[in-house]
Amino acid sequence: MLRDATGFFQDRVLAPTDARDAVRADFAMDEDSFRAFYDRTARGLWAYLARVTGDRQAADDLLQEAFYRFLRAGSEYESEAHRRNSLYRIATNLARDSKRRSVIRPVAAVSGEDIERVAGSDSAGSLDRSADVERAMARLRPNERAMLWLAYAEGEAHAEIAERLGLKVGSLKPLLFRARRKLAGLLGGKGKSNAV
Amino acid sequence: MPSDCCFEAEVLAAVVECRWPERVDPELRQHAGACAVCAEVALLATELRADRDRLRAEAAPPESARVWWMAQMRARREAEKAAARPITAAQVLGTAAAAWFAGACYGATSEWFRAEFTQISGTVQTLGVAGFLASGTGLLLAIGTISILVLVPTAVWLAVAKD
């Protein structure tokens, strides 16, 4: 403990560093790489967070927090997929923590405000379907929502989903099957004729 | 209902690649019509994929430049806060050193302290450590010393870790 305190003392008091340099050293990505990565992933991540939390406002907040923590993690990534998985894992943990702390408002059916937000760009039928999916997803557990979203909305492989959610690949399959059955039951026969 | 089907991945890929149902092999479409697993996968993937597209269109994330700038500002604030924290540690170390120095000066100069210390040493030599501890004074002294040894590091740790 004394060594820790002395280390702090030597690092921060005896040899103070410029805060700006400290910040740059902590971010593993440069601005251009980050901005390109953000532009590629932000919308998809927001959609994921909106569905997993069931709260668009929470998704706004968690999106920025997820990118900040991703930057602060300062890790080097061997591939784009690895980088994406890491970002989604951070976002998933944030969504779980928010749920535990009950920061997120209870999942509700689509509100009038939500409808207004998308009314300009969507037809009534599409809104109905969106509302059906939102209501059905709201009745699932957050982990089930996350699994289903990654598997069927994002089309990710089981290995990627397991990595993003911190699960074992072997245990994912039965969980995903159960979640799929549950959602199919909630959605009922709606859209079946269109889908097949 | 079986939990999986060997054509499930093919059906999902067709939905994700926007080929479902028009631009897929008719045999696969026919299979999905008869297979409960593939029908379910096609239904859910179609619904969730459409929902994803709607949400992505609705999403209004802040500009990447703004997010980068805000992250820089926040990291800088946190770095400054972290830099201020060791002052507490330094203060604790300084206080502890000052207390030790004061105690050492008192011990070296106080007749009473030296007399007490000589008496304790004599008792320990005569009765042994066990005998000394069995006496009331020895036990109190031992409890006091152990308490200080435990309490001081705990207090220092709390002072450092609190921030």
Side-chain angles (χ1 to χ4, degrees):
Chain A
M1 187 203 63
L2 185 62
R3 212 175 124 202
D4 288 348
T6 312
F8 260 130
F9 187 74
Q10 284 173 342
D11 291 345
R12 304 287 175 81
V13 178
L14 297 181
T17 52
D18 178 46
R20 183 182 283 256
D21 292 342
V23 168
R24 280 188 183 152
D26 282 349
F27 287 180
M29 285 177 104
D30 60 62
E31 184 175 353
D32 291 342
S33 309
F34 171 76
R35 288 181 62 181
F37 177 66
Y38 178 90
D39 290 338
R40 285 196 299 275
T41 51
R43 280 178 181 274
L45 185 64
W46 185 87
Y48 170 72
L49 286 167
R51 271 296 166 264
V52 171
T53 60
D55 184 332
R56 287 168 167 81
Q57 201 176 322
D60 288 339
D61 297 339
L62 294 180
L63 179 80
Q64 295 205 42
E65 185 65 25
F67 275 104
Y68 177 69
R69 292 198 187 188
F70 169 79
L71 272 172
R72 289 291 280 181
S75 309
E76 297 285 347
Y77 300 100
E78 54 200 38
S79 65
E80 172 77 4
H82 191 203
R83 184 180 282 177
R84 235 173 233 265
N85 288 347
S86 177
L87 176 68
Y88 270 78
R89 190 162 185 172
I90 291 169
T92 303
N93 289 336
L94 283 171
R96 274 184 199 145
D97 290 348
S98 301
K99 181 80 183 166
R100 273 192 215 113
R101 289 198 308 264
S102 300
V103 168
I104 294 171
R105 292 188 301 277
V107 173
V110 184
S111 66
E113 189 187 327
D114 294 331
I115 292 170
E116 278 173 24
R117 281 176 78 170
V118 292
S121 60
D122 224 331
S123 67
S126 180
L127 272 175
D128 283 349
R129 274 168 61 199
S130 185
D132 285 341
V133 173
E134 186 158 4
R135 267 192 294 267
M137 289 286 268
R139 294 180 65 181
L140 301 176
R141 285 200 293 266
N143 218 31
E144 292 173 329
R145 293 177 216 160
M147 264 187 287
L148 288 167
W149 190 264
L150 292 173
Y152 301 113
E154 301 281 349
E156 296 292 351
H158 285 188
E160 306 289 322
I161 300 168
E163 193 179 337
R164 289 181 187 188
L165 300 183
L167 297 168
K168 287 181 183 164
V169 181
S171 58
L172 177 74
K173 212 171 168 181
L175 291 173
L176 187 58
F177 171 68
R178 278 200 290 273
R180 194 184 76 204
R181 295 263 56 219
K182 219 165 153 181
L183 183 61
L186 290 165
L187 283 174
K190 285 173 188 169
K192 188 166 183 176
S193 55
N194 293 337
V196 181
Chain B
M1 181 184 182
S3 65
D4 56 4
C5 169
C6 56
F7 293 107
E8 189 183 329
E10 240 178 284
V11 171
L12 179 57
V15 176
V16 169
E17 291 160 14
C18 304
R19 292 186 284 110
W20 187 268
E22 293 86 7
R23 290 184 292 128
V24 292
D25 190 342
E27 279 181 28
L28 183 65
R29 206 164 52 228
Q30 200 176 355
H31 163 80
C35 170
V37 173
C38 289
E40 198 169 88
V41 167
L43 164 69
L44 293 192
T46 305
E47 290 290 345
L48 290 179
R49 194 76 185 166
D51 191 45
R52 169 187 174 270
D53 292 343
R54 281 189 295 270
L55 280 174
R56 281 176 68 100
E58 184 190 336
E63 286 290 310
S64 57
R66 184 164 168 260
V67 173
W68 173 263
W69 180 79
M70 284 175 74
Q72 290 260 340
M73 290 297 109
R74 185 170 158 191
R76 202 173 300 174
R77 274 199 310 274
E78 286 180 2
E80 283 164 4
K81 200 175 166 188
R85 194 183 339 162
I87 292 170
T88 313
Q91 283 170 337
V92 169
L93 284 174
T95 309
W100 176 83
F101 183 72
C105 287
Y106 180 74
T109 53
S110 166
E111 281 294 323
W112 174 85
F113 186 89
R114 274 188 289 178
E116 287 293 315
F117 190 75
T118 310
Q119 192 189 338
I120 288 169
S121 303
T123 313
V124 170
Q125 276 174 356
T126 313
L127 302 174
V129 177
F132 174 69
L133 287 177
S135 71
T137 314
L139 189 63
L140 279 175
L141 194 65
I143 290 170
T145 309
I146 290 166
S147 301
I148 288 168
L149 286 174
V150 173
L151 289 177
V152 169
T154 308
V156 171
W157 181 79
L158 285 174
V160 173
K162 202 175 178 181
D163 293 336

